[in-house]
């Protein structure tokens, strides 16, 4: 973070945008700084609203919006994106808001690091003790949990885990060491349709969750169920990835009207409530 701050201090604002649609937008210093502070209101004002699907202007609206979401800073700022800036500083709410808009979770900066890679080598970036996932109400999720749940690629798993552990992020390293750690998943029914001795799994089938700690001995994950926050142990064979997407954001949506412009978490108690909110 200190290196990025130093780089930002020596940079001039680039042009805010190009008139023509396309990847020619330079990320201005003031907007990068706003992302580092978690100022979702300023960042999303610059990005602009998502294009209306009914717009008749062709591809220009979509391409303009995309070019700002994935705008890159100049070489003195290592070619970072808004998502890099937010993730590096642990702004999980802003990360989610950018991903909701369609930001690329796997964009690489000039050093070849993705937002997840940048966050994993920051001191103090470890995930909460009880694993990934937001708390109740308006509590903000940590940046790592957001990136993994929205499908960010882990890449070289042993290397990422080793680097995270080297920076003292032990729980994060353990999380990315397993295939589904941190991932949003769908809980599958048992192949035989049974409940395996009354363990309650039948009531979990079809629910979405976020996988946390992996227990190799039991070949199972400790998961947090979406919408309720309840915890359960689920065999890995009964979990399949279902990454969050803008039409299917899970149990929360982030809006830029929190204190100081920060992203505020709007929690959903059910999938139906989420669909109703997104269609309103």
């Amino acid at each position: 973070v200190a290196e990025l701050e130093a780089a930002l201090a020596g940079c001039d604002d680039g042009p805010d945008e190009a008139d023509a649609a396309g990847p020619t937008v330079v990320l201005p210093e003031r907007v990068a700084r706003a992302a580092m502070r978690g100022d979702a209101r300023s960042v999303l004002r610059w990005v602009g609203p998502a294009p209306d699907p009914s717009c008749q202007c062709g591809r220009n609206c979509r391409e303009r919006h995309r070019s700002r979401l994935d705008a890159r800073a100049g070489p003195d700022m290592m070619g970072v994106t808004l998502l890099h800036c937010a993730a590096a500083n642990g702004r999980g709410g802003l990360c989610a808001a950018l991903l909701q808009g369609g930001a690329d979770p796997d964009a690489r900066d000039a050093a070849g690091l993705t937002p997840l890679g940048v966050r994993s080598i920051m001191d103090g970036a470890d995930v909460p003790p009880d694993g990934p996932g937001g708390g109740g109400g308006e509590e903000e999720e940590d940046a790592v949990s957001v990136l993994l749940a929205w499908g960010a690629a882990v890449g070289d798993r042993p290397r990422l885990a080793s680097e995270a552990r080297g920076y003292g992020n032990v729980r994060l390293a353990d999380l990315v060491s397993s295939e589904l750690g941190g991932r949003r998943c769908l809980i599958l029914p048992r192949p035989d349709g049974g409940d395996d001795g009354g363990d309650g799994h039948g009531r979990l089938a079809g629910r979405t969750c976020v996988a946390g700690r992996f227990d190799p001995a039991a070949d199972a994950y400790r998961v947090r169920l979406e919408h309720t926050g309840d915890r359960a142990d689920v065999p890995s064979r009964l979990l399949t990835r279902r990454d969050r997407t803008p039409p299917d954001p899970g149990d929360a949506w982030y809006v830029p009207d929190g204190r100081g412009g920060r992203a505020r978490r709007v929690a959903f108690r059910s999938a139906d409530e989420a669909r109703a909110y997104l269609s309103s």
Side-chain angles (χ1 to χ4, degrees):
V1 173
E3 292 179 1
L4 186 54
E5 286 277 17
L8 284 169
C11 292
D12 294 327
D13 279 9
D16 277 4
E17 63 177 308
D19 290 335
T24 56
V25 178
V26 176
L27 178 60
E29 175 187 353
R30 69 177 186 280
V31 183
R33 286 188 178 277
M36 296 176 75
R37 295 193 305 270
D39 183 353
R41 182 180 294 116
S42 296
V43 169
L44 297 181
R45 182 185 299 126
W46 181 78
V47 170
D52 186 334
S54 64
C55 179
Q56 300 298 312
C57 69
R59 297 173 57 192
N60 284 349
C61 285
R62 293 189 296 275
E63 290 181 355
R64 178 184 181 278
H65 187 254
R66 168 69 70 174
S67 67
R68 287 196 163 207
L69 274 173
D70 294 329
R72 293 181 176 276
D76 289 343
M77 291 168 58
M78 301 174 285
V80 293
T81 66
L82 287 167
L83 196 55
H84 282 93
C85 294
N89 288 267
R91 311 301 187 185
L94 179 54
C95 287
L98 292 168
L99 291 162
Q100 287 166 188
D104 181 2
D106 299 320
R108 294 184 179 272
D109 64 12
L113 293 175
T114 64
L116 179 61
V118 168
R119 183 59 182 161
S120 68
I121 59 173
M122 294 296 175
D123 292 330
D126 221 352
V127 298
D130 58 351
E138 297 179 358
E139 183 178 342
E140 183 175 330
E141 296 177 83
D142 66 276
V144 170
S145 297
V146 168
L147 291 166
L148 288 171
W150 281 80
V154 170
D156 187 337
R157 195 180 304 278
R159 177 179 177 181
L160 183 64
S162 175
E163 289 176 343
R165 191 168 282 110
Y167 280 83
N169 300 319
V170 178
R171 291 187 298 270
L172 191 161
D174 290 343
L175 193 67
V176 299
S177 294
S178 60
E179 182 180 358
L180 296 177
R183 300 300 189 184
R184 185 194 189 221
C185 296
L186 176 70
I187 302 176
L188 303 173
R190 296 190 187 280
D192 59 5
D195 199 28
D196 254 14
D199 64 359
H201 181 84
R203 294 190 299 274
L204 302 180
R207 298 278 300 276
T208 51
C209 63
V210 179
R213 175 179 52 81
F214 177 64
D215 181 353
D219 190 21
Y221 285 87
R222 185 69 170 170
V223 307
R224 179 188 66 83
L225 298 176
E226 288 191 326
H227 307 298
T228 65
D230 294 337
R231 305 277 170 167
D233 295 313
V234 179
S236 61
R237 70 182 185 279
L238 299 179
L239 293 171
T240 187
R241 275 179 62 174
R242 177 168 287 184
D243 296 338
R244 290 175 179 168
T245 63
D248 182 20
D251 57 0
W253 188 262
Y254 284 85
V255 294
D257 64 353
R259 181 179 301 176
R262 298 282 292 275
R264 179 173 64 86
R265 185 175 189 265
V266 178
F268 302 132
R269 292 169 294 182
S270 68
D272 288 341
E273 187 174 298
R275 284 191 289 268
Y277 180 90
L278 295 178
S279 64
S280 62

